[in-house]
Structures are given as C-alpha cells and as structure tokens.
C-alpha cells in the first residue's frame, strides 16, 4: 500500500485532538455525536483509494442521516496523513438510532468493514456494537485476530488494497 507513513506519536496526537473536538461538540451542542474514521492498520492511514472509500462512507452516512430526519448541528472534517475523519453533532434522533444506522452502513457496504462509525450519546458515552465485527481476512472476530496477531500488517494491507481496488473499478 502506498502513501505517507505515520508513527505512533502522530496517531496518538490525532486521537487526542479528536477526543478534544468531541468534548467541545458535546459541551457546545448537548447532542449525540457521530465520529467517522477508517479502520486502516499499519503506518499508512490514507491515500487516494482510502480517501475515495471514506468519501463513499461519508455519502452513505449523510444519506442515512437524511433518511432518518436527523439534523446536523455542526461538522468537523479532517484529511491528513493520520487519516480521514468526520465528526458530526446531530439532533432530532436518539443515539441508539444513530448506532443502528452506523451498523447498517458498516454491515451493508462492500467496503463497510473499513468504516469505523462511532456514536457518542449526549452524556459522552460511546455506544457499543451488539455483535462483533469479522476480521477482514478470515471469519474470526476481528478483536480476536488483532489481539493474537493472526495476520501481519502486510496481509491486512493487501486485503484492504484488494477491497479498495474493487471499488476503484466500479
């Protein structure tokens, strides 16, 4: 996979900035948040193909929010070497409905396994999935494979690149 490599400190700094922005949105809007990033293992977090997949996910998310009549109160979008991310403060819908929408998008798209759509309720609590996600390489639980390091970063990057190349051909 090609792209600019980042290191652990850059990734941790980005996570900290994202957490601060989430807290800012919670204080400002007192509403649920939707945080959309990509599940990309390894030192390369974005490139042209990953950005295209992110754009597809963003469109699916915005269409889904429109479908459930959610109102976007505020948005913050970042595109840099640490990855692509979108944060939305949302009203007119419950956090549980937002989580259902997020899981539907993640489970129904060919590249949905690469989407990481988190929902945080107005109290700052992250809603959890009711089911585990499958590994992008095998049918085991992704958390189990990650914990035991069943697959190398190169294997995972190759699987992701194959997924992304399929959407590039469409």
């Amino acid at each position: 996979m090609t792209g600019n490599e980042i290191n652990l400190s850059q990734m941790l700094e980005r996570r900290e900035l994202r957490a601060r922005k989430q807290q800012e949105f919670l204080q400002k809007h007192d509403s649920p948040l939707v945080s959309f990033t990509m599940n990309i293992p390894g030192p390369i977090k974005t490139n042209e193909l990953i950005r295209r997949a992110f754009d597809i996910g963003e469109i699916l998310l915005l269409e889904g929010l429109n479908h459930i009549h959610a109102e976007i109160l505020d948005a913050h979008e970042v595109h840099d070497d640490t990855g692509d991310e979108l944060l939305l403060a949302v009203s007119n819908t419950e956090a549980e409905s937002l989580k259902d929408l997020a899981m539907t998008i993640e489970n129904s798209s060919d590249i949905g396994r690469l989407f990481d759509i988190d929902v945080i309720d107005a109290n700052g609590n992250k809603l959890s999935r009711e089911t585990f996600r499958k590994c992008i390489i095998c049918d085991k639980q992704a958390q189990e494979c990650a914990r035991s390091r069943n697959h190398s970063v190169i294997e995972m990057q190759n699987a992701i690149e194959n997924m992304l190349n399929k959407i590039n051909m469409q």
Side-chain angles (χ1 to χ4, degrees), residues 6-170:
I6 63 159
N7 60 40
L8 181 59
S9 65
Q10 289 172 295
M11 197 67 223
L12 293 174
E13 182 181 341
R14 172 47 60 197
R15 282 187 190 161
E16 179 63 32
L17 290 171
R18 185 167 48 248
R20 274 191 253 154
K21 184 54 93 171
Q22 290 169 352
Q23 287 303 312
E24 177 187 317
F25 270 32
L26 286 168
Q27 289 174 358
K28 182 177 178 183
H29 300 290
D30 192 32
S31 67
L33 306 180
V34 178
S35 177
F36 172 42
T37 59
M38 299 292 287
N39 282 319
I40 308 294
I44 297 169
K45 298 299 182 188
T46 194
N47 60 28
E48 186 179 326
L49 283 177
I50 295 168
R51 176 64 192 274
R52 183 161 182 233
F54 177 87
D55 290 344
I56 290 168
E58 182 176 5
I59 289 167
L60 292 171
L61 179 57
L62 294 175
E63 287 174 348
L65 291 171
N66 186 51
H67 181 73
I68 63 171
H69 307 290
E71 180 184 350
I72 297 171
L73 301 172
D74 207 346
H76 178 74
E77 196 162 347
V78 174
H79 301 286
D80 66 20
D81 288 345
T82 56
D84 304 295
E85 50 188 81
L86 174 66
L87 179 64
L88 302 170
V90 181
S91 69
N92 292 345
T93 190
E94 297 296 320
E96 292 77 12
S97 296
L98 294 170
K99 188 61 181 179
D100 290 344
L101 172 64
M103 288 178 31
T104 297
I105 293 168
E106 291 172 348
N107 295 332
S108 64
S109 170
D110 290 341
I111 55 172
R113 180 57 193 89
L114 302 180
F115 300 155
D116 186 10
I117 307 172
D118 291 331
V119 175
I120 301 163
D121 70 17
N123 296 319
N125 301 310
K126 183 177 166 186
L127 277 63
S128 298
R129 296 176 66 85
E130 294 178 11
T131 58
F132 289 102
R133 296 184 89 169
K134 286 186 180 181
C135 172
I136 60 170
I137 295 175
C138 67
D139 283 334
K140 293 182 182 177
Q141 290 180 5
Q143 296 85 343
E144 179 184 320
C145 284
R147 194 172 26 257
S148 61
R149 301 192 192 282
N150 283 351
H151 313 289
S152 71
V153 170
I154 291 173
E155 285 177 299
M156 291 185 287
Q157 286 177 327
N158 287 340
I160 290 169
E161 199 162 30
N162 287 336
M163 250 189 259
L164 295 173
N165 281 324
K166 287 179 187 173
I167 66 158
N168 201 37
M169 291 188 282
Q170 296 174 352

